């Protein structure tokens, strides 16, 4: 009964055209224990960045909806604030959105982020990791999700829902716990 009710509610919202949620071609989110899919995407410097470049390091692969929006700015500033702690844990932070290299360049210039923001406008990596894409009109946004990848290249934690205010602290705590 509940499942039917939710389907009716979702169908009503989609039919109203105010907001829709389109799931990616990838039907499942990459799960804990899986080998993290390798990828190569351009950064804000318009240089290719590959996951394999960080073998031997912890990788915080975080997907976010849109450059220069409130929640995404809070989340990114918190990662930047904690960058020395990530460095001490031999961890890197990689942000991925559907924005372009040019959009990332502008945001990084404005907010002086030192970590890599990767452009995935065709949502190849978003789809490969199974991150849902939200659609509003003709605009598309990746959902806010994070994958923690071990130095051996395995996914050790997935955050399917993220609070931008506290997320960096949660990730740091998880890396510390995983290292024990």
């Amino acid at each position: 009964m509940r499942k039917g009710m939710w389907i009716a509610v979702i169908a009503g919202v989609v039919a109203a055209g105010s907001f829709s949620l389109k799931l990616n071609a990838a039907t499942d989110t990459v799960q804990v224990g899986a080998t993290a899919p390798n990828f190569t995407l351009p950064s804000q410097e318009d240089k290719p960045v590959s996951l394999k470049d960080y073998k031997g390091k912890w990788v915080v692969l975080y997907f976010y909806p849109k450059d220069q929006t409130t929640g995404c700015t809070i989340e990114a500033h918190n990662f930047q604030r904690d960058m020395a702690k990530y460095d001490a844990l031999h961890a890197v932070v990689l942000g991925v959105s559907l924005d372009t290299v040019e959009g990332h360049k502008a945001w990084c210039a404005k907010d002086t982020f030192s970590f890599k923001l990767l452009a995935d406008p065709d949502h190849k990596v978003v789809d490969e990791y199974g991150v849902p894409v939200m659609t509003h009109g003709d605009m598309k946004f990746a959902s806010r999700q994070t994958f923690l990848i071990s130095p051996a290249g395995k996914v050790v934690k997935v955050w399917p829902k993220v609070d931008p205010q506290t997320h960096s602290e949660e990730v740091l705590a998880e890396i510390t716990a995983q290292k024990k």
Side-chain angles (χ1 to χ4, degrees), residues 26-166:
T27 57
D28 292 323
T29 300
V30 173
Q31 298 296 308
V32 169
T35 298
N38 191 36
F39 59 82
T40 301
L41 289 173
S43 71
Q44 70 267 27
E45 297 145 349
D46 205 11
K47 294 180 182 170
V49 172
S50 298
L51 180 60
K52 66 182 179 186
D53 298 340
Y54 300 102
K55 189 168 176 72
K57 289 191 165 221
W58 291 94
V59 176
V60 179
L61 182 64
Y62 86 98
F63 294 86
Y64 66 95
K66 188 87 178 124
D67 289 350
Q68 300 193 50
T69 56
T70 304
C72 297
T73 299
I74 290 167
E75 185 176 25
H77 275 280
N78 289 341
F79 280 127
Q80 184 63 51
R81 173 200 67 207
D82 295 336
M83 202 50 53
K85 294 175 185 175
Y86 286 103
D87 290 342
L89 292 169
H90 304 288
V92 297
V93 175
L94 302 175
V96 179
S97 76
L98 302 181
D99 294 297
T100 63
V101 167
E102 292 74 27
H104 288 338
K105 280 181 190 176
W107 193 24
C108 288
K110 178 179 173 243
D111 289 58
T112 61
F113 299 130
S114 62
F115 58 91
K116 304 288 187 215
L117 294 181
L118 308 180
D120 190 16
D122 298 325
H123 50 88
K124 291 177 183 171
V125 176
V126 167
D127 288 351
E128 193 166 11
Y129 276 78
V131 176
V133 174
M134 301 171 290
T135 304
H136 182 65
D138 62 348
M139 298 185 326
K140 295 180 180 203
F141 309 95
S143 294
R144 193 180 307 278
Q145 292 190 5
T146 300
F147 298 81
L148 179 59
I149 302 167
S150 75
K154 297 285 186 186
V155 175
V156 295
K157 176 80 176 178
V158 177
W159 287 269
K161 299 215 184 278
V162 170
D163 178 352
Q165 295 280 359
T166 59

Side-chain angles (χ1 to χ4, degrees), residues 9-21 135-138:
V9 168
I10 292 169
V13 170
V14 170
S18 60
F19 187 79
S20 65
L21 179 65
T135 304
H136 182 65
D138 62 348

